[in-house]
Amino acid sequence: MTLVVQMQDAGSAANDPLLSYAVTTTPSPLKASPENPQAEEEIGELIISVARQSGTPADVEWIKVKIPSGTMAPDLATDLAKVSPRISLAGWTVRLDAGAKEFVCAPTSGHAPVGPDIGITIQLSDIPVSRKVGTAPLTVTERSRTGSAAFQDRTTVFDIGKFPADFYLRNFLCEPSIIPNGGDIKLTWERSANATYELLYPGVDRDVTNRTSLDIEGVRSDTTFYLRATTGDPTNPVVRIISTQVTVLKPDLEVGNLTVHGTSDLNDALTVAGPTTLNGEFSFGKAVDAYRQWELQHIGDGSVTELTATWKAPTSGLVTVTISRSGGESSAMLWSGNMNFTAWAHCSPGTSSASAVLPVMKDQNFGYTLLRGSRTTTIKTNWTGLGTGTAKPIYDPQ
């Protein structure tokens, strides 16, 4: 089993490594040797995978791996001379610089290009692990350049944990692993008693030190759960994190910005809290509450000179009034608010209909007044609301 250790970069962006590194350990995690100096030491192994991600090759003079050695918690090995180093790339050698406490990997030609098609594995075996539980810094430094630039030293640091011999954290499971939206799950894990444990997922950091399982209800989105174990001296603790996840069918989503380059199908209600611009096709699988219409039609009684209808808008929207007639002349005033906004629809001789449109804010009154008409005048109101309500008449003419 191997463990990928989180990488930490040191230095400015200009000195960032040109190569990428990943570290695995065997066993996973490493075990600290017994504190009794007469007891046999635990043996570990480090494997460092090296690659060039960019298409442009990097020119490399050497790669140095510094392993702290000694008897303290931040020391990884007790004796570097017992370590067996190996590098996989032909034309490269690896040796121990005992004074610097580092292993030096270098091409025999002085420097060599490392491109995306070249993979390097640095293997450090038979490491006698030190006897103090703690975290040791593993420092990887490359001397590299691109093109004809000057060579620079570029450093990456990894934290390698040495755990108590009886520590374990394993079999972190989520059941079921695929659920419907709003479904329930059960998390289970195995762990030793010599650590504190925390369960972490979005918005939650929960102490689960005394548990080996937890039920979680109403999961509505894909979620990764992390189980973090902490043990050792508080001044130099060791931390191990394992994870599991659940997949939710038709999950709830919350995103910052969303760009859709294809067709968008909305199969239920739509709520829009800000300006919305549609520059392409949108299709709706059901009636959409964000776009609700009604119409109301009144007909004049022959001697009408003023006819009024008023409503209150449950949401913001648009109101349109249309008057039609087969003879004579007709006029209507459309208004919203306290007559703050008005528009006129006027059928002059020679025209059969006219319309006026006004915006309406939520909770505003709106309506029309037919100022001139005859028995042949028809007035029709159409309200288009952005919301789920239906406008209620305050007063309807009879």
Side-chain angles (χ1 to χ4, degrees):
M1 180 183 291
T2 61
L3 170 66
V4 177
V5 185
Q6 183 176 358
M7 181 177 69
Q8 302 174 337
D9 289 339
S12 65
N15 292 325
D16 282 350
L18 301 180
L19 305 179
S20 62
Y21 302 88
V23 176
T24 58
T25 73
T26 303
S28 174
L30 290 178
K31 305 290 187 180
S33 296
E35 291 194 14
N36 180 1
Q38 305 303 318
E40 187 176 351
E41 294 168 326
E42 292 284 343
I43 300 300
E45 180 180 68
L46 295 175
I47 297 178
I48 305 170
S49 300
V50 187
R52 172 65 171 162
Q53 302 293 340
S54 171
T56 304
D59 206 10
V60 181
E61 278 192 354
W62 42 253
I63 299 171
K64 296 180 179 180
V65 180
K66 186 178 184 65
I67 298 179
S69 63
T71 61
M72 306 302 291
D75 295 320
L76 181 60
T78 59
D79 186 354
L80 294 181
K82 295 181 180 180
V83 177
S84 301
R86 176 179 173 272
I87 189 167
S88 64
L89 193 59
W92 284 59
T93 61
V94 56
R95 63 177 178 83
L96 171 64
D97 182 342
K101 296 185 178 181
E102 59 190 12
F103 293 89
V104 182
C105 308
T108 55
S109 59
H111 56 80
V114 177
D117 56 336
I118 297 176
I120 304 174
T121 299
I122 302 170
Q123 184 174 356
L124 303 174
S125 305
D126 303 323
I127 300 173
V129 182
S130 69
R131 300 182 184 276
K132 290 287 188 180
V133 172
T135 298
L138 178 72
T139 304
V140 180
T141 303
E142 67 182 59
R143 185 165 179 79
S144 59
R145 69 178 182 185
T146 55
S148 58
F151 282 98
Q152 294 187 45
D153 293 356
R154 309 170 193 272
T155 299
T156 306
V157 180
F158 296 84
D159 288 334
I160 308 296
K162 300 170 296 168
F163 286 76
D166 56 350
F167 170 84
Y168 64 92
L169 177 61
R170 61 195 178 214
N171 293 337
F172 187 26
L173 302 176
C174 175
E175 297 180 344
S177 58
I178 301 176
I179 61 172
N181 192 311
D184 303 335
I185 61 168
K186 185 180 187 68
L187 300 174
T188 58
W189 58 92
E190 297 176 12
R191 49 83 177 167
S192 58
N194 55 350
T196 59
Y197 298 89
E198 297 165 278
L199 179 67
L200 303 99
Y201 56 98
V204 175
D205 183 345
R206 180 171 180 173
D207 188 327
V208 291
T209 297
N210 297 320
R211 306 182 65 106
T212 56
S213 67
L214 186 67
D215 295 320
I216 299 179
E217 300 176 348
V219 181
R220 298 192 173 276
S221 60
D222 295 352
T223 304
T224 299
F225 299 92
Y226 298 92
L227 191 58
R228 180 171 63 194
T230 305
T231 187
D233 188 332
T235 63
N236 185 244
V238 284
V239 177
R240 178 164 171 80
I241 300 175
I242 59 176
S243 65
T244 188
Q245 65 180 33
V246 62
T247 299
V248 176
L249 302 176
K250 299 179 181 178
D252 293 357
L253 298 176
E254 183 175 347
V255 300
N257 296 293
L258 177 64
T259 300
V260 179
H261 294 286
T263 300
S264 298
D265 294 316
L266 304 181
N267 294 312
D268 213 328
L270 170 67
T271 300
V272 180
T276 303
T277 302
L278 303 181
N279 295 318
E281 178 183 355
F282 254 75
S283 62
F284 297 90
K286 296 182 181 178
V288 180
D289 284 339
Y291 186 76
R292 186 184 291 266
Q293 293 184 337
W294 54 257
E295 292 184 348
L296 182 65
Q297 180 170 297
H298 294 144
I299 301 177
D301 63 1
S303 59
V304 172
T305 57
E306 184 170 337
L307 184 65
T308 299
T310 304
W311 295 268
K312 185 176 182 179
T315 66
S316 298
L318 294 174
V319 61
T320 304
V321 64
T322 301
I323 56 175
S324 304
R325 57 129 194 99
S326 58
E329 190 171 356
S330 300
S331 297
M333 180 179 69
L334 178 63
W335 55 270
S336 65
N338 296 318
M339 297 292 182
N340 294 330
F341 300 95
T342 59
W344 288 84
H346 178 70
C347 276
S348 58
T351 59
S352 59
S353 65
S355 298
V357 181
L358 274 182
V360 185
M361 300 298 292
K362 180 180 179 181
D363 295 329
Q364 277 190 338
N365 291 344
F366 69 92
Y368 68 80
T369 300
L370 179 64
L371 298 175
R372 175 184 248 177
S374 67
R375 75 180 66 197
T376 62
T377 298
T378 298
I379 184 164
K380 181 164 55 176
T381 306
N382 183 291
W383 180 75
T384 302
L386 298 175
T388 58
T390 301
K392 304 293 185 182
I394 296 173
Y395 165 75
D396 270 340
Q398 303 297 320

